[in-house]
Amino acid sequence: MHDLSAAATSPLVMALWILCALTSLAVLGGWVFALAQRRQRCFQSLADDQRERIRRSRARLADVESARSADLQHARLTERTRIAREIHDNVGHLLTRAIMLTNADQVIATSTGDTLHADQFGQLGHTLDEAMTMIRKSVHGLKDEGTDFRAMVEDAMATAKQSDVEIRLSNAIDAVPSHVAHAFTAVIREALTNTIRHSAASEAHVHLIDLPGLWQLIVQGNGGVPERGRVASMGIGIADIEERARALDGTATCGYHNGGWRVFMSVPKTAERNMR
């Protein structure tokens, strides 16, 4: 009887041992899975932090580039203003003196009956008047009366124009406040960079629109829908564009539209911001 009882309980013991082993394996597997999940979340958090640092670094670099471009533009405008003043103060005064002397000589020649020299002095006076008109136009064109927005846009597009992508510009905005100009040019630079690096576009069109209450910027490419990986790599630039729009109380949207990738930015015209 004892042998029969032992034989009967032996499979039960084995089953219990197997159950314990499986339970242990399940617990161990759950612990390993939980550890893997924690590590994955940790790695994901580190990746998110890294992407955020990269985004901020790129934003700072874009600001530095924008500031550098603005400083260069300011230096050019300052030099243009200096040249305009030099022309006005020196050449302009000399021409004015020459015109006065020529007119006086013409009056004297006419009063003495010397018609030949009177005509010559008249022609000389006319030539000097034309020269003075040209000088005034040049001085007017050189004077700086604010931020040269069109030149800043050209500077923002300069690097993109060196690529194989054809860049076209439609600019209906003559001037904007300095901070709006810097934001628009930074977004143009970022949008064109994304178009060149992450799409198959052969051309891109930059539209600048002046509406009664808004300034709008549209950068439209024709490269179709970017691949998922390329869209992900564009995320930092897109976040930067949206942040710049929010800083101006505006909006920005980036996505597929009309056969290609489009960046749309709209900034309201407010009296308070224009007075800054």
Side-chain angles (χ1 to χ4, degrees), residues 227-271:
E227 297 175 2
R228 181 175 300 178
R230 291 183 174 182
V231 174
S233 62
M234 292 165 60
I236 296 174
I238 293 173
D240 183 45
I241 291 171
E242 293 173 347
E243 185 174 321
R244 290 183 181 278
R246 286 193 298 270
L248 298 173
D249 295 333
T251 59
T253 57
C254 307
Y256 178 72
H257 177 79
N258 195 24
W261 192 262
R262 183 185 73 163
V263 172
F264 175 82
M265 181 175 178
S266 181
V267 175
K269 298 178 181 178
T270 58

Side-chain angles (χ1 to χ4, degrees), residues 91-198:
V91 181
H93 288 176
L94 290 175
L95 282 176
T96 300
R97 181 181 177 185
I99 291 172
M100 293 177 63
L101 291 174
T102 301
N103 290 338
D105 289 339
Q106 183 183 17
V107 171
I108 294 173
T110 301
S111 63
T112 58
D114 189 354
T115 56
L116 175 62
H117 288 91
D119 291 341
Q120 291 177 346
F121 283 127
Q123 294 176 5
L124 179 59
H126 180 69
T127 301
L128 291 173
D129 284 336
E130 290 182 346
M132 178 59 78
T133 300
M134 294 178 64
I135 289 293
R136 286 172 178 167
K137 289 181 178 179
S138 298
V139 169
H140 179 74
L142 287 171
K143 282 184 178 179
D144 171 29
E145 298 185 6
T147 301
D148 192 342
F149 178 62
R150 292 182 178 272
M152 292 178 67
V153 171
E154 290 292 337
D155 287 343
M157 297 171 56
T159 302
K161 287 182 177 179
Q162 298 175 7
S163 68
D164 294 333
V165 179
E166 180 184 357
I167 309 298
R168 295 184 294 161
L169 172 65
S170 299
N171 187 2
I173 301 177
D174 292 325
V176 293
S178 177
H179 55 285
V180 178
H182 291 162
F184 270 178
T185 52
V187 170
I188 290 172
R189 190 179 293 109
E190 180 67 33
L192 291 178
T193 299
N194 280 340
T195 298
I196 293 170
R197 292 181 180 177
H198 305 295

Side-chain angles (χ1 to χ4, degrees), residues 59-73:
R60 286 194 294 269
L61 288 174
D63 289 337
V64 169
E65 178 64 21
S66 180
R68 185 190 68 83
S69 179
D71 289 341
L72 290 174
Q73 183 64 19

Side-chain angles (χ1 to χ4, degrees), residues 1-11:
M1 293 292 294
H2 178 73
D3 292 338
L4 292 175
S5 178
T9 57
S10 180

